[in-house]
């Protein structure tokens, strides 16, 4: 049985491939690309049908972060000309969230820059969640505030949060190359705190920071092991004014291979195409929908996405449908696992472990940047061209939250 038959058979059974098989997906050639997408598409349809979950980012606090994540436009010392503002008021955030939900989003992702929240920040977010849920009790809320201290995850859960986003971003071995102000272990600890409090864990990666294929496979297997219910796959947006501004290491073909590898390793997990979708997949975005079952609607934290209506048109034109508020995202067996992990032992239709509320993802400290002083992997496929510099595609967000202009939804 060849590689793709093996991966498809395993994925349809919900089994995880070997590390070597995952690496082999990244080494496939352009001639094999459509076969790779088709194989990953079979696995995607087995567990998620043709549904696309829409998520909407609200940047509660933008820029001026004391952390030094190389990929991030909000980092310490960033010269990127992004919007900078302090905490939105609850009604401002609720207005932004409402626009996203009206556009078709079932999940709102509340994100704030910073190392981690103070207890006062948790109060602010609690008030914001109350304002959002008052307007629409069915909306899922994912929170992303950085590293959590003891009891903060429990407070967010009690206040109505459904999920917490904290990305691992890259492999443990290379984590120190992208950030020095916190560690990979810190990030793992926060994902575990969130999961332990009964929040759905949303944790993903950033590709295109100069990492090797081995790094990508390492972080994707680590996310599977960590029990992430949702895996956002960010493609580095090389913002001018950040250390990785010149890192253009991705092609649409490479992005599709990465998405397929993530899908095979996480067959029954929500896989979300996150930041960098428009910049790197470009006209190949619809093929990405055959592999991933979730995207962000509209804009990202500090950069603009394509028009929300263009997202909806793309989904329809590609033969997919927007996942409704009443539909479960995760397959039932995954929702049950999530519920058991949170200690509530419920089924997919119960209040504290519903598939609709026990999945997730976000962008939090997420759909942003990249790293990139490493050399391209020596074993990269010969067909893998280095992407051209396309900084014309990076558009700093100037509308929506923190501005007087209407949000893109
Ligand atoms: S990723 Fe998050 S913690 Fe890191 S610099 Fe950006 S906002 Fe700060």
């Amino acid at each position: 049985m060849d590689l793709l038959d093996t991966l498809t058979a395993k994925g349809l059974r919900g089994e995880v491939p070997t590390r070597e098989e995952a690496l082999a997906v990244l080494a496939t050639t352009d001639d094999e690309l459509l076969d790779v997408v088709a194989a990953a598409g079979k696995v995607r349809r087995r567990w998620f049908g043709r549904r696309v979950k829409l998520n909407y980012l609200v940047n509660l606090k933008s820029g001026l972060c004391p952390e030094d994540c190389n990929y991030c436009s909000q980092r310490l010392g960033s010269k990127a000309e992004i919007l900078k503002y302090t905490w939105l008021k609850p009604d401002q955030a609720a207005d932004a969230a409402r626009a996203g939900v009206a556009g078709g989003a079932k999940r709102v992702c509340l994100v704030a820059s910073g190392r981690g929240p103070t207890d006062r920040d948790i109060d602010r977010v609690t008030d914001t969640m109350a304002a959002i849920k008052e307007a629409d009790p069915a909306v899922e809320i994912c929170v992303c505030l950085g590293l959590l201290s003891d009891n903060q995850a429990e407070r967010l859960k009690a206040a109505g949060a459904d999920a917490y986003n904290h990305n691992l971003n890259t492999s443990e071995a290379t984590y120190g190359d992208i950030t020095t102000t916190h560690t990979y272990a810190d990030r793992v600890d926060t994902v575990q705190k969130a999961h332990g409090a009964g929040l759905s864990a949303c944790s993903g990666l950033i590709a295109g920071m100069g990492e090797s294929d081995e790094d990508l496979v390492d972080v994707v297997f680590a996310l599977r092991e960590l029990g992430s219910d949702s895996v956002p796959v960010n493609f580095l947006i090389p913002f001018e004014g950040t250390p990785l501004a010149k890192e253009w290491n991705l092609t649409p073909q490479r992005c599709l291979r990465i998405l397929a590898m993530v899908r095979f390793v996480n067959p029954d997990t929500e896989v979300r195409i996150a930041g960098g979708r428009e910049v790197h997949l470009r006209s190949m975005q619809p093929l990405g929908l055959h592999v991933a079952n979730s995207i962000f609607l509209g804009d990202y934290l500090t950069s603009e996405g394509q028009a929300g209506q263009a997202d909806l048109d793309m989904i329809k034109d590609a033969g997919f449908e927007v996942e409704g508020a009443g539909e479960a995202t995760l397959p039932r067996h995954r929702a049950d696992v999530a519920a058991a992990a949170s200690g509530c032992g419920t089924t997919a239709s119960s209040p504290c472990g519903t598939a609709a509320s026990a999945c997730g993802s976000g962008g939090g400290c997420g759909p942003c940047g990249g790293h990139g002083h490493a050399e391209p992997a020596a074993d990269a496929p010969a067909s893998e061209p280095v992407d051209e510099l396309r900084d014309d595609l990076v558009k700093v967000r100037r509308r929506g939250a923190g501005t007087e202009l209407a949000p893109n939804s």
Side-chain angles (χ1 to χ4, degrees):
M1 190 181 280
D2 75 5
L3 172 71
L4 295 178
D5 288 340
T6 302
L7 289 168
T8 303
K10 286 187 174 180
L12 294 178
R13 294 194 298 265
E15 290 175 19
V16 177
T18 65
R19 202 171 179 284
E20 290 66 35
E21 288 165 344
L23 281 167
V25 173
L26 297 179
T28 52
T29 66
D30 288 351
D31 285 347
E32 298 167 308
L33 184 61
L34 281 182
D35 295 330
V36 171
V37 170
K42 283 183 191 162
V43 177
R44 179 248 203 261
R45 290 194 302 280
R46 164 70 178 88
W47 300 108
F48 300 96
R50 302 188 75 82
R51 304 187 310 276
V52 178
K53 180 176 180 177
L54 293 179
N55 310 270
Y56 194 70
L57 285 161
V58 178
N59 200 356
L60 298 177
K61 173 172 165 280
S62 182
L64 308 170
C65 184
E67 300 294 289
D68 70 352
C69 308
N70 281 348
Y71 54 83
C72 182
S73 58
Q74 306 185 77
R75 76 190 291 274
L76 179 72
S78 169
K79 300 280 191 297
E81 294 180 350
I82 59 166
L83 293 173
K84 298 184 183 74
Y85 53 87
T86 189
W87 290 94
L88 296 184
K89 293 187 169 52
D91 58 328
Q92 293 173 313
D95 284 349
R98 198 172 302 120
V101 173
K106 70 184 290 188
R107 169 165 291 195
V108 169
C109 307
L110 300 176
V111 186
S113 63
R115 178 179 172 85
T118 63
D119 287 344
R120 171 77 185 105
D121 295 336
I122 299 288
D123 291 340
R124 295 179 213 271
V125 176
T126 296
D127 293 344
T128 297
M129 288 193 289
I132 292 172
K133 295 248 179 187
E134 186 182 351
D136 184 351
V139 69
E140 290 179 24
I141 298 181
C142 181
V143 181
C144 177
L145 308 173
L147 300 170
L148 291 174
S149 304
D150 289 346
N151 294 322
Q152 290 184 327
E154 285 78 5
R155 288 189 60 202
L156 290 169
K157 173 72 179 172
D162 298 289
Y164 195 83
N165 166 263
H166 200 60
N167 296 329
L168 294 186
N169 289 331
T170 193
S171 69
E172 182 172 15
T174 57
Y175 200 82
D177 293 340
I178 64 165
T179 306
T180 66
T181 46
H182 58 264
T183 65
Y184 181 90
D186 291 333
R187 288 199 165 249
V188 170
D189 177 67
T190 281
V191 178
Q192 289 173 332
K193 279 191 168 88
H195 222 182
L199 292 165
S200 177
C202 170
S203 187
L205 64 142
I206 304 173
M209 301 194 290
E211 69 283 338
S212 67
D213 286 2
E214 285 76 9
D215 289 323
L216 284 172
V217 167
D218 282 352
V219 69
V220 174
F221 272 86
L223 291 165
R224 178 75 188 182
E225 209 166 297
L226 207 48
S228 183
D229 297 316
S230 174
V231 176
V233 181
N234 292 281
F235 300 112
L236 173 68
I237 301 175
F239 275 93
E240 280 300 329
T242 66
L244 304 185
K246 303 300 176 210
E247 292 300 319
W248 289 86
N249 303 315
L250 297 167
T251 63
Q253 295 82 6
R254 171 78 169 164
C255 293
L256 289 169
R257 283 186 198 97
I258 292 168
L259 286 171
M261 184 272 286
V262 176
R263 168 58 69 205
F264 288 126
V265 178
N266 295 273
D268 50 3
T269 297
E270 178 184 338
V271 174
R272 180 178 312 178
I273 314 176
R277 165 165 60 92
E278 296 90 337
V279 173
H280 293 292
L281 276 167
R282 304 196 284 269
S283 60
M284 294 293 105
Q285 289 182 64
L287 281 184
L289 296 179
H290 285 269
V291 181
N293 63 298
S294 180
I295 63 171
F296 285 103
L297 175 73
D299 291 338
Y300 302 94
L301 297 176
T302 61
S303 67
E304 292 188 355
Q306 67 188 14
Q309 188 59 50
D311 290 336
L312 299 176
D313 290 345
M314 174 180 73
I315 290 167
K316 188 174 175 199
D317 292 349
F320 293 89
E321 58 198 32
V322 173
E323 186 172 287
E327 294 181 282
T329 299
L330 290 179
R332 189 181 179 100
H333 69 279
R334 284 299 313 272
D336 288 347
V337 168
S342 70
C344 57
T346 59
T347 67
S349 60
S350 66
C352 62
T354 65
S357 67
C359 35
S361 104
C365 294
C368 35
H371 133 210
H373 47 265
E375 294 299 321
D379 57 353
S383 64
E384 200 74 77
V386 174
D387 200 7
E388 57 190 317
L389 192 145
R390 291 300 308 270
D391 48 7
D392 58 307
L393 296 176
V394 179
K395 294 188 171 51
V396 172
R397 182 172 69 82
R398 298 284 178 222
R399 60 192 174 196
T403 77
E404 298 297 318
L405 300 177
N408 172 20
S409 57

